[in-house]
Amino acid sequence: MFGFPESEEGMGSGIIFNEDGYILTNYHVVNGAKQITVIFNNGTEGKEIPAKLVNYNPSMDLAVIKLTENVKVPAVAEFGDSDSLQVGDPAIAIGNPLGKQFLGTVTAGVISAVNREVSVDGQKQKYIQTDAAINPGNSGGALVNTYGQVIGINTAKIGGSQIEGLGFAIPINAVKPLIDSLTKPILKIGISALNIDEKLSKEHDIPVGVYIQQVEGFSPAEKAGLIPGDVVIKFDGKKVKTVQEINELKQKHSAGDSVQVEINREGKNKTLTLKLAE
């Protein structure tokens, strides 16, 4: 269960998948969190252990957090095979519906559908559908089979308070290929930016690329010499048109690596060297 005390506290669930304290959850559970804490449901009397966000994939609604204290995890989850699921197979959801009051709740049902295509935030994804009860607070928790293997990541983002018997989970086989990248810390550049497409390029007479709106103080971007108004047209030798393309390229590197960034500044192209950092 995760909480981020601020003006309010949010709750979610997670799956320990690594003895080093890495936990898989939904991105919407930790998005915007100023502070993340973890409570193990193993009789530790509600002790809250600090954790940090490691990496995330917003389009898949996935995130990985890591405990920042050296503690022994109670167990490590075993991943199953969601491709082998059939309609009617038993399904068990584990999590914390509605917060601390109902820690470690287990609900059971069956697989209602496999590869159910659902549109969330304008993006279509395929989910496991189950009639096991999944409520707010269950998000990020495990959907398991009768062997105790994780077959899906529950999400309460779909549906509403008036809906019953209609739960959804991200298939674990869609998650497995992302685990390596999600356990790699996000590398920092330190800019806020705007994508410049062909239309904006013509309107403002600037190149297609990524327009830098702000540069964070003491960030790799500032140290490299990037300033607001620059348009990034190439990153690490590749043409870029979106912030997402830059993010994908930088995540292929490690902290401390240097990459070449080609920018357009007041109509002239210039190449800067940027040193990536966590």
Side-chain angles (χ1 to χ4, degrees):
M1 180 190 62
F2 312 125
F4 30 102
E6 196 185 353
S7 56
E8 63 180 34
E9 187 177 56
M11 301 293 173
S13 305
I15 301 163
I16 303 166
F17 67 92
N18 183 296
E19 289 183 350
D20 294 328
Y22 287 87
I23 300 171
L24 185 64
T25 186
N26 283 145
Y27 174 62
H28 77 262
V29 168
V30 293
N31 183 26
K34 295 291 187 289
Q35 180 183 345
I36 301 172
T37 58
V38 174
I39 297 176
F40 293 143
N41 186 35
N42 66 342
T44 51
E45 300 181 354
K47 180 185 176 184
E48 298 192 11
I49 303 162
K52 65 178 181 179
L53 179 62
V54 177
N55 209 327
Y56 54 87
N57 185 319
S59 64
M60 287 288 289
D61 194 22
L62 295 171
V64 166
I65 66 170
K66 185 180 185 298
L67 303 175
T68 55
E69 283 187 3
N70 186 20
V71 297
K72 181 176 175 59
V73 297
V76 174
E78 179 185 344
F79 290 164
D81 179 11
S82 57
D83 289 343
S84 66
L85 294 175
Q86 297 183 42
V87 173
D89 283 349
I92 302 158
I94 305 171
N96 310 295
L98 311 181
K100 294 179 182 178
Q101 185 179 359
F102 302 109
L103 280 175
T105 294
V106 175
T107 57
V110 298
I111 300 296
S112 306
V114 294
N115 295 322
R116 178 74 80 192
E117 191 170 79
V118 180
S119 181
V120 180
D121 296 336
Q123 290 188 321
K124 288 185 177 180
Q125 302 284 356
K126 289 185 178 179
Y127 295 89
I128 299 166
Q129 183 184 327
T130 178
D131 65 347
I134 297 175
N135 294 288
N138 273 119
S139 285
L143 186 71
V144 304
N145 58 23
T146 51
Y147 301 103
Q149 298 169 327
V150 179
I151 53 174
I153 314 297
N154 298 325
T155 176
K157 196 174 183 181
I158 309 166
S161 58
Q162 305 302 314
I163 296 174
E164 293 183 11
L166 200 63
F168 294 92
I170 304 164
I172 199 63
N173 283 20
V175 178
K176 289 176 185 177
L178 305 175
I179 290 293
D180 283 346
S181 62
L182 286 172
T183 52
K184 185 178 178 182
I186 296 171
L187 297 177
K188 183 180 179 182
I189 294 178
I191 60 172
S192 60
L194 176 70
N195 298 337
I196 303 297
D197 56 17
E198 299 287 351
K199 182 181 177 183
L200 287 173
S201 173
K202 290 178 182 177
E203 284 180 4
H204 300 283
D205 193 27
I206 56 177
V208 171
V210 177
Y211 177 85
I212 298 177
Q213 296 172 300
Q214 291 181 326
V215 176
E216 185 180 331
F218 308 105
S219 66
E222 185 184 67
K223 292 175 182 176
L226 291 165
I227 61 173
D230 287 347
V231 179
V232 179
I233 54 179
K234 279 188 179 181
F235 189 90
D236 197 22
K238 307 288 193 307
K239 286 186 178 181
V240 290
K241 296 181 180 180
T242 65
V243 173
Q244 183 178 348
E245 289 175 345
I246 290 178
N247 288 336
E248 289 172 355
L249 289 168
K250 74 178 170 66
Q251 283 306 117
K252 293 179 180 178
H253 290 271
S254 301
D257 288 355
S258 293
V259 296
Q260 299 300 302
V261 182
E262 187 175 335
I263 62 167
N264 183 278
R265 180 180 294 171
E266 297 178 348
K268 295 181 180 180
N269 287 3
K270 185 175 183 179
T271 300
L272 302 173
T273 300
L274 184 145
K275 188 175 182 179
L276 295 167
E278 291 183 16

